[in-house]
Amino acid sequence: MQRFTRPLVVTGLAAVAAVVIAACGSSSNNSNTSSSSSATGKNGGTITIDAGTAPLSPDQGYDFTTQGTELYSVVATPLLTFKRGVTGSASEQIEPGLAESLPKISNGGTTYTLTLRPGLKYSNGQPVMASDFTHAIERDLKIPWIAASFLTGFVKGAAAYAAPHSKLTSISGIKTNNSTRQIQITLVKPFAPFEDVLALGGTAPVPASTAMKNLTATGTIGDGPYKWGPISVGHTYTLIKNTSFNSGSNKVPTVPNGHANKIVFSVNANVITDAENVLNNSADVFDPGDTIPPTVLGRVNSTAKTRYQQIPTNSTFYFFMAVNKKPFSNLYARKAVLAALDLRAMSRYDSGFLTPDCHLIPDGITGHSNPSNCAALTGHPANGAPNMKLAMSYMKKSGMTGQPVTVWGETRSPRAQYATYFASVLNKLGFKATPKLINSGVYFGTIGVASTHPQAGFADWVQDFPHPFDFMQLFTAAAGPAENYGYVNDPHYNSEVNKLEGQPTAKVASQWAALDDYAVKNAYYAAYGHESFPKFESTAMAFGAPSFSLEYELDLTSLELAK
């Protein structure tokens, strides 16, 4: 999902349903959903979260950011869900959500059949109907949902329904029966991660009366442990306990009730202040989508080490370079950049949370190049000094000295420092580079528009599901400008992703790694590391609660105040 503020767009690449993806595991329907507190925690009270970036919207039919997912994932429960109340790889496991069980997959992996649990009700008391799933998908396609290509690329009839000026009134690949509670989804071709798609907030059923527009000021009504309270767009987002959830007939055994009566997500772009607020106990939780600044981290380590932890995630930070326009249409100009980048500097800007590496696939994902071969690919080890002699020889070959470059970046720390550093490296090489820093809340929406067509800049990706396709699809032609900011269109790369995505990952791990190496050798991206995220809470919190999830980052159902 959108780890940090960035949209996920999936390409229409072929897959085989028999592929087993780690996130798509079977599970028991008997998960503990009681709201009983832990040994050190209690139920009730208000928890405040300080975050540097607001979600694009509280409406899951549009938003696909980390910040939004943390919030609306406890408001609107999808048919399937990622396991809550656990940490590490266990949080990648898929369980039934509003559906009674995992889907029955038939017809060679193209038909998914699910049945809603009986007696489900939205937080307003209205019954959940099978046809509400159809309405949710229709909203996704019309608003549109930032991750809508998951649907248009695979669900039969979705692309035609979503087409401009379409007069279709239904999606041919979705059939529902309200009396039997059955939902049947037909794909145009097998796509192994489709269960993951059904666990994303954007596919959660919503009442048929829900408007076909982005409800940015209110969010939607859902069936989850919380419901939306007051929202001040861009400033505060309030969640209120849904007391009707998991009571009476409205049972979703796999989703916990949550502990706090109220959760307030407060947005302040000054992450130094956010971190100090948690350090000084004037806020309860530091949003892990932000980095604790070095000026505060020393005090955290010296005075608050018992309520702070670095947690590894499957993420990659990189710079993109537009390969279809000067100066980075020239291979040697791009290779000069890779040779000149000091990945260690990026880690310093990130308070040591970043592990330097030149590869796109992170070390927690099958297909990661291990041991690292960055020295052979870029001219220097990931943890070594840049090779300026090699870089300058590439520049001479490129003939691009003096070419102007605009480097796009975000205003918040340390992302502003990343972009500024990148511009300084380009200037050392002989380009005429200028940073262009814009607000984080609009950054990815701006650089992902074809009319912007940025030359170079900052980007990042954190796993949506633990599969190399999730990372490598970013540089396929089918990804489009919304994600392929470098406009890479390499026939070999495209065909390899298509081929490998349809095979069991364990058998083709070396081929995924080889494709990553191929892309680095061609300097299609300048990856510089994989990040750990901070778990940092106030003394008011039960810090031992399993509140960090690889899929949700903050698992709001596990946050609880200390006794």
Side-chain angles (χ1 to χ4, degrees):
M1 301 193 181
Q2 284 193 331
R3 309 306 190 197
F4 301 112
T5 306
R6 51 127 177 97
L8 178 150
V9 177
V10 168
T11 62
L13 303 178
V16 176
V19 175
V20 178
I21 290 182
C24 301
S26 60
S27 61
S28 167
N29 291 350
N30 299 317
S31 299
N32 180 12
T33 62
S34 72
S35 57
S36 59
S37 60
S38 67
T40 58
K42 66 179 181 181
N43 291 320
T46 298
I47 293 174
T48 58
I49 301 168
D50 269 16
T53 303
L56 293 179
S57 172
D59 188 336
Q60 73 277 2
Y62 174 73
D63 179 275
F64 203 50
T65 64
T66 297
Q67 295 78 11
T69 298
E70 289 174 340
L71 302 174
Y72 53 65
S73 67
V74 296
V75 171
T77 305
L79 299 179
L80 307 178
T81 183
F82 297 104
K83 189 175 182 66
R84 292 186 179 271
V86 295
T87 58
S89 60
S91 64
E92 298 169 334
Q93 182 177 346
I94 287 186
E95 299 186 315
L98 296 189
E100 290 183 327
S101 62
L102 295 178
K104 176 184 176 182
I105 305 174
S106 57
N107 295 329
T110 61
T111 302
Y112 285 66
T113 304
L114 307 96
T115 303
L116 283 177
R117 300 179 190 274
L120 297 176
K121 294 186 177 182
Y122 294 108
S123 58
N124 65 354
Q126 183 177 341
V128 180
M129 310 295 287
S131 57
D132 293 343
F133 172 77
T134 305
H135 185 64
I137 302 304
E138 290 173 347
R139 289 186 79 243
D140 290 345
L141 299 177
K142 292 297 186 183
I143 291 177
W145 186 31
I146 290 173
S149 60
F150 265 140
L151 307 171
T152 55
F154 298 99
V155 176
K156 184 179 180 181
Y161 180 87
H165 313 299
S166 171
K167 295 182 180 180
L168 294 176
T169 58
S170 63
I171 303 169
S172 61
I174 301 178
K175 305 295 183 184
T176 62
N177 187 316
N178 287 333
S179 62
T180 64
R181 310 187 309 280
Q182 189 175 91
I183 298 168
Q184 187 178 85
I185 308 162
T186 301
L187 307 185
V188 294
K189 54 189 173 184
F191 182 53
F194 193 67
E195 284 189 348
D196 296 86
V197 176
L198 295 177
L200 301 177
T203 65
V206 293
S209 59
T210 307
M212 300 285 277
K213 63 180 181 179
N214 178 12
L215 301 178
T216 187
T218 62
T220 65
I221 293 171
D223 184 13
Y226 289 88
K227 57 185 178 181
W228 286 114
I231 293 174
S232 175
V233 177
H235 300 286
T236 57
Y237 299 79
T238 304
L239 296 169
I240 306 295
K241 191 76 172 287
N242 176 14
T243 56
S244 66
F245 186 72
N246 276 331
S247 66
S249 63
N250 186 32
K251 298 288 189 182
V252 185
T254 54
V255 180
N257 292 344
H259 300 283
N261 289 336
K262 181 191 293 187
I263 299 175
V264 180
F265 187 89
S266 179
V267 181
N268 178 5
N270 189 329
V271 292
I272 294 177
T273 299
D274 293 338
E276 288 180 336
N277 285 344
V278 177
L279 180 62
N280 299 328
N281 296 311
S282 56
D284 295 313
V285 180
F286 182 82
D287 186 68
D290 297 310
T291 298
I292 300 176
T295 54
V296 183
L297 187 59
R299 284 180 285 153
V300 171
N301 281 318
S302 62
T303 66
K305 64 176 65 177
T306 59
R307 48 191 177 97
Y308 161 69
Q309 181 182 3
Q310 280 193 26
I311 300 179
T313 60
N314 295 322
S315 64
T316 300
F317 284 61
Y318 62 95
F319 295 116
F320 64 86
M321 296 171 284
V323 303
N324 61 345
K325 63 191 300 187
K326 286 185 176 182
F328 300 121
S329 54
N330 185 282
L331 172 62
Y332 290 111
R334 302 195 305 271
K335 290 175 74 72
V337 172
L338 268 62
L341 280 178
D342 189 341
L343 280 57
R344 303 168 302 174
M346 316 306 288
S347 184
R348 290 193 294 270
Y349 288 131
D350 201 36
S351 302
F353 284 86
L354 204 67
T355 301
D357 184 31
C358 67
H359 293 96
L360 192 65
I361 301 175
D363 54 8
I365 300 290
T366 300
H368 174 71
S369 292
N370 190 17
S372 174
N373 55 355
C374 292
L377 297 172
T378 70
H380 63 93
N383 275 303
N387 190 335
M388 290 305 298
K389 182 178 179 180
L390 179 63
M392 296 311 296
S393 70
Y394 284 146
M395 279 300 294
K396 186 176 181 179
K397 290 181 180 179
S398 75
M400 293 294 164
T401 300
Q403 286 290 321
V405 179
T406 299
V407 176
W408 290 75
E410 299 183 50
T411 53
R412 65 176 167 128
S413 177
R415 298 174 180 220
Q417 287 86 344
Y418 294 157
T420 302
Y421 167 77
F422 188 48
S424 72
V425 170
L426 296 181
N427 285 325
K428 285 182 180 179
L429 289 171
F431 298 107
K432 292 182 178 180
T434 305
K436 185 179 181 66
L437 307 181
I438 64 174
N439 184 275
S440 297
V442 299
Y443 177 71
F444 286 102
T446 301
I447 66 170
V449 176
S451 59
T452 303
H453 200 156
Q455 283 178 288
F458 163 85
D460 73 308
W461 197 261
V462 185
Q463 75 165 41
D464 303 294
F465 39 85
H467 191 282
F469 164 78
D470 187 38
F471 289 82
M472 299 304 285
Q473 59 91 15
L474 294 172
F475 291 89
T476 59
E483 287 304 335
N484 186 352
Y485 310 123
Y487 291 80
V488 177
N489 186 5
D490 181 322
H492 171 72
Y493 186 98
N494 294 336
S495 64
E496 283 296 292
V497 172
N498 271 287
K499 180 183 74 173
L500 297 176
E501 188 266 343
Q503 301 180 48
T505 54
K507 292 185 177 181
V508 294
S510 62
Q511 295 178 55
W512 280 113
L515 183 59
D516 199 348
D517 288 350
Y518 170 83
V520 176
K521 188 175 181 179
N522 284 277
Y524 288 147
Y525 38 79
Y528 53 86
H530 314 295
E531 191 177 53
S532 295
F533 290 171
K535 179 181 179 181
F536 181 37
E537 299 176 356
S538 74
T539 57
M541 298 295 294
F543 186 74
S547 58
F548 190 94
S549 163
L550 289 182
E551 291 297 336
Y552 298 113
E553 287 198 5
L554 279 182
D555 178 0
L556 302 190
T557 66
S558 295
L559 288 178
E560 58 181 327
L561 294 166
K563 290 182 179 178

